[in-house]
Amino acid sequence: SSSSSSSSFEKKTAGDEGGASGGTTTASGGGGAATASSSSSRVGPADDDAVVVVDDTTRAASSYYFTAETREVLAAMRRWRWTKVLVFALYWGFAHIAVVVVVAKFTVLVMAIVVAWGEDLSVGAATAVIVAVGLVLFLLPPVPGAPIYLAAGVLLVPVVRSTTSWGVAVGVAYASSVCLGIKLVACLLQQKLIGERLAHSVWVRRTVGINSDLIRTTRLVLEDRGLSVAKVALLVGGPDWPTSVLCGILGLRAAPVLLGTTPVWLLIWPTVLGGAFLVIDEAYAQVVSAIFVGLAALVQSGSLAVAAVKLNAETARRHKDLARIPIDDEVRRADEADKDRRRAYDAGTAWDRVPSVFRAVVIVAVGLVSFACYLTTLYPSACFRTFAVDDRVSKRLQGDWRRIVRPLGLVALSCFGVAVALYGVFAVAAARYATCFRRRRSIDVAAAPPGAAAAAAAPLGGVDAQRQKEPPRRSTKTTATGSGAVVREDDPFPL
């Protein structure tokens, strides 16, 4: 210990300090000195009395099981806001199961049912079915456009080929044109009916970060005349529903947005062609279909990557134009008014203030949703039966669409459902804790002497810095004794 009255001594081989070729180790303590020489790294019997001074740093370093770099990482992790970290882990897990698993699987199932129902219809009736179902699915936030384009290729191309004198090429062009029309009409509806109505909500504008540099740069790019690379990449590569709704929230004109969306045809026709090859009874058809669908996915992901790079470059290049865009005052005032509430929530739900039972709740929820994610990612065929747009429920699933979920998939979905329920319990408790924390801080500030009022409110101004200087604060209650004295007792988290 550093508080010891004399230096710490410890027997040590002379080779530890002097090396394998020889060296001298000296130690002094009290009133004497000792010197030991060694010609090798191994100490003989005569060296048993050789001692070296070992300071606190050397002693501490020798007791660690990890390298210095690993210890720095672990120390940084100990300073994390673990409540936020675990909650965001839950959000990512929920998003993965909901979008990648549930929406992806069941959207394909719905489109397969539509294709099976419309394969005996005329061209006009089949087109009406695809348009109606496609528009409805496009208006749902998590549904992408690829399954709709694929179903159009599976349904319309064979119908056109069998009921008219047109060939496959004309059928693919017709189906692609129908899908482009569905996409443009859906964009218009999303922008006008959803985005512009949501623009009246301050909460929505705050959520999308309308005053952030990213969104303001997006406004500049989408307002540009013509078809710039950044504009086309953003409208083609961005997610369907969020991109169109954001255009409505930003109050952009519909015509330039629709014009910038038309190059999405480069994404549509490979997908339609991939769907058309699914119903061709040839050995090569499945391989060609996979190639075209992969090409479409490459176009979309590449467009999204280009949009990210271009937006970053435009933010740096057009900083003067950004400065001329007015700040949304309603959102700015709402952000300022909400600062105290958010700080109180962060402080009131700090990991060292959350009771053990609710720590266990959120940890178990993260474990369950992580388990579900790993099951559906590592063992997809064991969780769900393989089902494509050209499959039939009557054959592949024996007439029962619920058979698409295997027993292991049912386990994964059950874990997902329990995790959602546990998060709901934790969210309600966390909101109550934050309310209690704000109320307690308000009482402390009101009851404090005038000079100490600012200090009492300090944790809300800098929660992290304050928590590093003092032990975790616990709420208290006061009780009156028989003598009239007021006693403050520890009472963690009064509800």
Side-chain angles (χ1 to χ4, degrees):
S1 172
S2 59
S3 60
S4 302
S5 57
S6 61
S7 301
S8 300
F9 288 86
E10 186 170 296
K11 291 186 178 181
K12 195 174 184 68
T13 64
D16 289 341
E17 296 290 341
S21 62
T24 302
T25 305
T26 304
S28 60
T35 303
S37 299
S38 174
S39 60
S40 67
S41 60
R42 183 173 182 83
V43 179
D47 297 322
D48 287 344
D49 294 332
V51 294
V52 294
V53 178
V54 180
D55 58 10
D56 295 334
T57 304
T58 305
R59 184 186 300 277
S62 64
S63 64
Y64 287 128
Y65 293 100
F66 302 106
T67 63
E69 291 80 3
T70 304
R71 294 199 302 273
E72 290 178 1
V73 173
L74 294 176
M77 291 177 63
R78 284 194 293 269
R79 293 192 297 269
W80 284 0
R81 296 180 178 180
W82 277 102
T83 304
K84 271 193 170 182
V85 170
L86 295 177
V87 168
F88 275 104
L90 285 174
Y91 291 161
W92 280 109
F94 294 161
H96 173 81
I97 297 296
V99 177
V100 178
V101 177
V102 177
V103 173
K105 298 293 182 183
F106 288 94
T107 301
V108 172
L109 179 63
V110 169
M111 296 310 299
I113 294 174
V114 170
V115 169
W117 182 71
E119 61 185 355
D120 295 329
L121 300 177
S122 64
V123 174
T127 302
V129 169
I130 285 292
V131 169
V133 176
L135 287 177
V136 171
L137 291 180
F138 259 125
L139 293 178
L140 302 178
V143 177
I148 302 172
Y149 309 149
L150 200 66
V154 172
L155 176 60
L156 294 182
V157 174
V159 169
V160 169
R161 185 181 179 185
S162 61
T163 60
T164 66
S165 58
W166 303 338
V168 175
V170 176
V172 170
Y174 175 78
S176 300
S177 302
V178 171
C179 290
L180 179 61
I182 295 173
K183 170 67 176 177
L184 294 179
V185 173
C187 289
L188 183 63
L189 294 177
Q190 290 162 354
Q191 180 176 345
K192 292 296 183 180
L193 297 184
I194 301 176
E196 291 188 0
R197 292 178 181 273
L198 293 179
H200 299 294
S201 170
V202 177
W203 179 85
V204 171
R205 300 203 303 273
R206 286 184 58 218
T207 302
V208 301
I210 200 167
N211 285 336
S212 65
D213 288 344
L214 176 63
I215 299 300
R216 297 164 75 199
T217 304
T218 302
R219 178 196 291 271
L220 288 177
V221 170
L222 295 179
E223 286 179 343
D224 287 341
R225 294 183 177 180
L227 299 177
S228 64
V229 175
K231 183 176 182 178
V232 171
L234 184 61
L235 292 173
V236 172
D240 297 290
W241 194 92
T243 303
S244 299
V245 171
L246 179 62
C247 292
I249 294 174
L250 296 178
L252 302 177
R253 293 191 302 118
V257 172
L258 295 179
L259 179 62
T261 307
T262 51
V264 77
W265 191 81
L266 297 174
L267 167 66
I268 291 175
W269 75 260
T271 311
V272 171
L273 198 55
F277 273 101
L278 283 177
V279 294
I280 295 178
D281 190 15
E282 297 290 345
Y284 63 86
Q286 298 294 325
V287 176
V288 175
S289 174
I291 291 175
F292 278 109
V293 173
L295 177 62
L298 182 62
V299 170
Q300 182 161 20
S301 59
S303 300
L304 188 59
V306 171
V309 173
K310 288 294 184 179
L311 283 178
N312 188 43
E314 291 292 315
T315 302
R317 185 177 68 88
R318 304 177 67 173
H319 57 277
K320 293 183 179 179
D321 295 334
L322 287 176
R324 287 195 292 267
I325 297 179
I327 296 294
D328 191 322
D329 288 331
E330 286 185 330
V331 172
R332 179 181 56 80
R333 288 194 297 268
D335 287 336
E336 293 175 353
D338 196 52
K339 280 183 180 180
D340 185 70
R341 186 196 63 81
R342 286 186 283 111
R343 289 172 176 171
Y345 182 88
D346 291 341
T349 58
W351 193 246
D352 54 4
R353 291 190 174 100
V354 177
S356 300
V357 62
F358 288 109
R359 293 188 199 179
V361 166
V362 72
I363 289 174
V364 170
V366 171
L368 288 175
V369 77
S370 300
F371 180 66
C373 289
Y374 279 116
L375 276 183
T376 55
T377 302
L378 299 179
Y379 308 103
S381 60
C383 293
F384 302 94
R385 287 181 170 83
T386 304
F387 196 84
V389 176
D390 61 322
D391 287 328
R392 298 295 177 264
V393 174
S394 58
K395 296 180 180 180
R396 175 74 71 172
L397 303 179
Q398 299 178 8
D400 187 1
W401 63 268
R402 293 172 296 182
R403 288 177 56 85
I404 193 174
V405 182
R406 294 181 184 270
L408 194 60
L410 187 60
V411 171
L413 294 179
S414 300
C415 291
F416 169 70
V418 174
V420 171
L422 291 177
Y423 169 71
V425 172
F426 177 80
V428 172
R432 297 188 67 181
Y433 296 154
T435 302
C436 292
F437 184 84
R438 293 184 66 190
R439 187 182 300 118
R440 188 194 72 199
R441 297 303 301 163
S442 300
I443 294 174
D444 289 347
V445 172
L460 294 184
V463 176
D464 292 337
Q466 185 72 12
R467 288 177 59 200
Q468 293 176 1
K469 297 178 182 179
E470 65 180 14
R473 299 177 61 91
R474 301 170 72 91
S475 59
T476 59
K477 65 179 181 180
T478 59
T479 57
T481 63
S483 60
V486 176
V487 180
R488 297 173 66 86
E489 300 174 353
D490 284 342
D491 181 23
F493 284 105
L495 295 182

